[in-house]
Amino acid sequence: NVQADIENEGMVVIPGKQFKEIISSLNPGVLTLELKENTFKILTEKTKTSLACQTSEEYPPFPNVEGDEYKISSENLEEIEKNISFSASTDQARPVLTAILFKFSSKGSEIISTDGFRLSILELNESEIYEDEKSFLIPSKALSEVYRIMNKLDVKEVQFKISRELKQVFFSMNGVLIFVRLIDGNYPPYEKIVPVDFKTEVVFDSEELLDNLKRAMIFARESSNIVRFVINEKEVEVRSSSPSFGDYKGILKSVKIKGPSGEIAFNIKYLVDYLAATKADEHWFGMNESLKPALFKPGSKSNYKYIIMPF
């Protein structure tokens, strides 16, 4: 709802993108909106803009969403946006992977995303308990838009309903209603790739690791973004190479190592994305073999797991 002085009531359908661009370009001040025949006018003291429009009868009606009700705090939605959304795929050829999986059960709530090469899992703190397990797939882009609007409205909690029949989710916050179509399909059995035990464990200093990755990235760009960790008894080497520029090797000494030595290679972009999202002082890392999934966890977040498939 927008506060305004209304002389005559009415409804009209206008091009959303062009309307947004016009409004964004105007200086703060009073707007006058007029509808005459099939023309929608946007008037200010110095400008006059006209948009072709359509009658409201041509706009599809909003669905009446009835179904299971849920709520999520602004803190949890922020965690999802920062720690989960970036792992979802952007490839529309596999729409299931462009969605975020919500799982509610008697054990609590889990939020999952994957693009097939990395996997993020977040266990929501202080979430409600549900007797029957329920799961659904919400498009990652739509959820990011909900998060953006939540911040604009400065709300503390977002309510939403899931309609299995309509295959839609309906978000409600401070008078703003958002309708989103759920993604239909079977999510990959991600539980099977999550390692439980680890032969080698390392605790990294976040600043030291990120500094070395930034330098390694310069050389990794021409080599499929590959960066290699060589884990010794007391230190970890970060290596990358470029056919054109040469090689890079950085020594990480502020590490705590447990278990045998090992070597593993990753897409460096996946590591940098993770570090940028979590912003922790330390990061725990566990691995078994060079070609098996490895796991990262921020030192202060035991409820968050980030699994990467190695090269």
Side-chain angles (χ1 to χ4, degrees):
N1 296 328
V2 178
Q3 291 184 347
D5 294 328
I6 300 173
E7 295 182 4
N8 297 300
E9 295 184 357
M11 291 190 292
V12 66
V13 178
I14 59 176
K17 181 180 179 181
Q18 286 76 12
F19 180 71
K20 177 183 176 182
E21 290 174 345
I22 291 167
I23 296 300
S24 299
S25 70
L26 296 174
N27 294 324
V30 177
L31 288 180
T32 301
L33 306 180
E34 293 181 356
L35 175 62
K36 290 186 177 181
E37 297 180 352
N38 293 326
T39 302
F40 185 76
K41 296 182 178 181
I42 306 168
L43 309 173
T44 70
E45 186 178 350
K46 297 181 180 180
T47 65
K48 178 180 179 180
T49 306
S50 298
L51 285 175
C53 55
Q54 297 173 293
T55 62
S56 59
E57 287 78 10
E58 298 182 42
Y59 201 81
F62 288 104
N64 183 23
V65 177
E66 295 294 337
D68 299 329
E69 295 189 17
Y70 302 88
K71 58 184 178 180
I72 187 168
S73 68
S74 57
E75 291 84 1
N76 281 336
L77 192 57
E78 183 175 9
E79 277 198 289
I80 293 171
E81 172 65 18
K82 292 183 177 180
N83 298 330
I84 296 295
S85 294
F86 73 91
S87 291
S89 176
T90 58
D91 184 4
Q92 296 300 323
R94 301 184 68 186
V96 167
L97 298 187
T98 66
I100 293 176
L101 175 64
F102 282 68
K103 287 181 66 176
F104 295 92
S105 69
S106 59
K107 298 179 182 179
S109 304
E110 274 191 339
I111 316 297
I112 301 100
S113 67
T114 182
D115 59 6
F117 302 99
R118 54 182 168 177
L119 169 70
S120 293
I121 303 174
L122 176 67
E123 296 176 6
L124 294 185
N125 292 326
E126 301 177 0
S127 58
E128 291 190 22
I129 302 299
Y130 298 84
E131 292 183 4
D132 301 323
E133 183 172 309
K134 302 177 185 294
S135 63
F136 41 86
L137 294 166
I138 299 178
S140 176
K141 285 187 176 180
L143 206 61
S144 293
E145 185 66 13
V146 171
Y147 172 73
R148 185 187 68 82
I149 295 172
M150 178 200 75
N151 279 337
K152 286 281 187 180
L153 298 176
D154 193 26
V155 298
K156 302 301 181 185
E157 187 176 81
V158 177
Q159 297 176 333
F160 61 100
K161 290 182 180 180
I162 299 291
S163 173
R164 300 291 183 178
E165 182 180 355
L166 298 176
K167 296 182 179 178
Q168 287 194 336
V169 55
F170 163 65
F171 292 94
S172 173
M173 46 186 164
N174 278 18
V176 175
L177 311 179
I178 304 171
F179 297 83
V180 178
R181 181 168 294 279
L182 296 171
I183 300 294
D184 194 18
N186 296 319
Y187 207 71
Y190 66 92
E191 301 96 332
K192 294 181 178 179
I193 71 164
V194 179
V196 179
D197 300 314
F198 303 90
K199 293 180 180 178
T200 302
E201 301 176 17
V202 181
V203 176
F204 291 101
D205 175 80
S206 180
E207 186 175 351
E208 183 183 48
L209 177 59
L210 185 57
D211 283 347
N212 275 272
L213 289 178
K214 287 178 179 178
R215 289 188 285 271
M217 185 178 286
I218 299 170
F219 296 84
R221 291 172 186 150
E222 289 190 351
S223 303
S224 302
N225 285 322
I226 296 175
V227 64
R228 189 174 301 278
F229 287 175
V230 179
I231 303 169
N232 302 312
E233 289 184 6
K234 296 182 179 180
E235 61 187 27
V236 176
E237 296 178 6
V238 176
R239 298 180 181 179
S240 63
S241 62
S242 163
S244 303
F245 306 138
D247 303 318
Y248 174 78
K249 183 173 78 170
I251 307 296
L252 307 183
K253 293 186 176 292
S254 300
V255 292
K256 303 170 187 174
I257 300 170
K258 179 182 177 182
S261 301
E263 191 171 331
I264 194 167
F266 299 109
N267 184 325
I268 195 170
K269 180 181 181 299
Y270 297 159
L271 295 175
V272 172
D273 285 350
Y274 161 77
L275 293 172
T278 50
K279 300 186 184 301
D281 294 331
E282 290 185 335
H283 295 274
W284 182 94
F285 166 76
M287 65 168 285
N288 289 301
E289 298 176 17
S290 60
L291 296 179
K292 290 189 176 181
L295 188 147
F296 283 86
K297 289 193 301 184
S300 60
K301 287 188 178 180
S302 59
N303 64 322
Y304 179 60
K305 299 175 183 177
Y306 185 67
I307 297 97
I308 310 181
M309 295 297 297
F311 272 95

